[in-house]
Amino acid sequence: MVTQRGRRDGADSAGRPPRRPRRPETPDADNAPTAEMPAVPAAAANGRGDAPEAVRAKQIPEAAVARLAVYLRVLSGMSEQGATTVSSEELSQAAGVNSAKLRKDLSYLGSYGTRGVGYEVSVLVSQIERILGLTRQHKVAVVGIGNLGHALANYGGFPGRGFPVEALFDLDADLIGVPVGGLPVSHMDDIPRICAERGISIGVIATPPTAAQSVCDRLVAGGVQCILNFAPVVLQVPAHIEVRKVDLAVELQILSFHVARRADDAASNQGSSGLPGTGLPSDNGKGSGRNGAGPDGGREMVVRS
């Protein structure tokens, strides 16, 4: 092999560096066709055993995952009503996001709508279920059969969405053996054994905060991979365990902030003088008139989740 000196690798005969290849154009979300992703064996993916869906799932931001779950709920409702296609505008309005963000989220699935047609509802449902891991059931255990635990154990919506409740646990001797939602309540000491025997993958903690960590440790010992924690405490878990915390008091405090902010806005509007378009005379902040007919200055109150 002869090496030519004075030339960069890949340069032409005049010594000029090669031109950069043009970047492929990003597909138009409204023009690219919608097509269902074919099932690909894991061994044929990328030499590491990861299927394309698994690779895509690792690249999806957590905020987008939460929105995908919302899209699935909306799409499932549309499907039950007989809808076969939906536009990005219709779906974004029903889900409470802007259409550009929705198209970005759906692009993680490899799904693009067709101009004038939109998205196929059944295809989107199938794609989102696959990326969220809903193609198989995830057995759930509820620990703490108080008011919240009773409600969760009796909720009929879990099995239909792939989350059958398969075990219930509590410390109260009066509850042990009593069926709740068709399942007998077991003692908390039996959590590791029963979870392992029944293949529980998701544990729901609805106990007082003082018991939450002990319950968490038992769930992990039983092979539970994910925990939904309603107790107002931070759990210490191994790195491979996923924990989602639901603190209802915090959520109410966030809503309280929005209510207080809107009340402040309404008070400020009361003291404003001569605002254009109000049709009301100025009272220089001394009167009791409002800039609008509603209790918060005529503006509709919208609570965002």
Side-chain angles (χ1 to χ4, degrees):
M1 180 178 67
V2 178
T3 302
Q4 294 181 321
R5 298 180 178 177
R7 183 190 300 181
R8 300 181 188 175
D9 291 342
D12 58 16
S13 59
R16 294 188 297 267
R19 294 183 178 180
R20 292 183 179 178
R22 298 181 64 182
R23 294 182 179 179
E25 296 182 358
T26 303
D28 186 346
D30 289 325
N31 289 323
T34 300
E36 186 171 2
M37 294 183 294
V40 179
N46 57 12
R48 298 181 305 179
D50 291 339
E53 290 86 351
V55 174
R56 267 196 293 270
K58 295 175 183 177
Q59 299 171 346
I60 301 178
E62 187 170 346
V65 173
R67 290 192 295 269
L68 287 175
V70 175
Y71 303 154
L72 179 59
R73 183 192 66 206
V74 173
L75 288 165
S76 298
M78 291 180 173
S79 179
E80 292 174 358
Q81 296 176 3
T84 57
T85 60
V86 60
S87 69
S88 59
E89 287 75 17
E90 292 171 337
L91 183 53
S92 64
Q93 289 179 4
V97 302
N98 64 67
S99 57
K101 181 176 293 184
L102 178 137
R103 286 193 290 267
K104 174 64 175 177
D105 292 340
L106 297 184
S107 72
Y108 290 118
L109 310 178
S111 181
Y112 300 94
T114 303
R115 184 180 295 279
V117 177
Y119 298 89
E120 294 182 30
V121 172
S122 62
V123 171
L124 276 186
V125 168
S126 175
Q127 291 174 333
I128 295 175
E129 286 181 341
R130 184 179 299 139
I131 212 72
L132 294 181
L134 299 177
T135 53
R136 64 182 182 89
Q137 290 190 332
H138 301 274
K139 297 181 180 180
V140 177
V142 178
V143 187
I145 311 302
N147 292 333
L148 177 58
H150 265 88
L152 295 172
N154 284 288
Y155 178 56
F158 289 147
R161 297 188 181 185
F163 302 97
V165 177
E166 297 286 345
L168 305 175
F169 301 96
D170 201 281
L171 276 177
D172 190 345
D174 293 334
L175 284 175
I176 305 304
V178 176
V180 177
L183 281 174
V185 178
S186 301
H187 196 277
M188 285 187 185
D189 290 342
D190 296 326
I191 288 176
R193 176 182 60 82
I194 292 178
C195 286
E197 291 176 352
R198 301 181 187 179
I200 304 296
S201 58
I202 298 177
V204 179
I205 298 178
T207 67
T210 53
Q213 185 61 56
S214 176
V215 168
C216 174
D217 295 340
R218 286 176 167 86
L219 290 171
V220 173
V224 172
Q225 303 172 20
C226 301
I227 295 174
L228 181 63
N229 180 29
F230 284 93
V233 63
V234 177
L235 299 176
Q236 303 299 320
V237 296
H240 68 281
I241 302 298
E242 185 71 24
V243 177
R244 299 288 297 181
K245 183 179 179 182
V246 181
D247 193 326
L248 298 179
V250 170
E251 299 301 325
L252 290 173
Q253 289 165 355
I254 293 172
L255 292 177
S256 172
F257 163 77
H258 290 290
V259 172
R261 185 179 63 178
R262 293 176 188 278
D264 290 343
D265 290 344
S268 297
N269 288 340
Q270 274 188 317
S272 300
S273 60
L275 292 179
T278 61
L280 296 176
S282 169
D283 61 3
N284 293 324
K286 299 178 181 179
S288 59
R290 295 174 182 265
N291 291 321
D296 62 342
R299 294 175 297 171
E300 182 182 0
M301 182 175 180
V302 179
V303 177
R304 296 181 175 83
S305 59

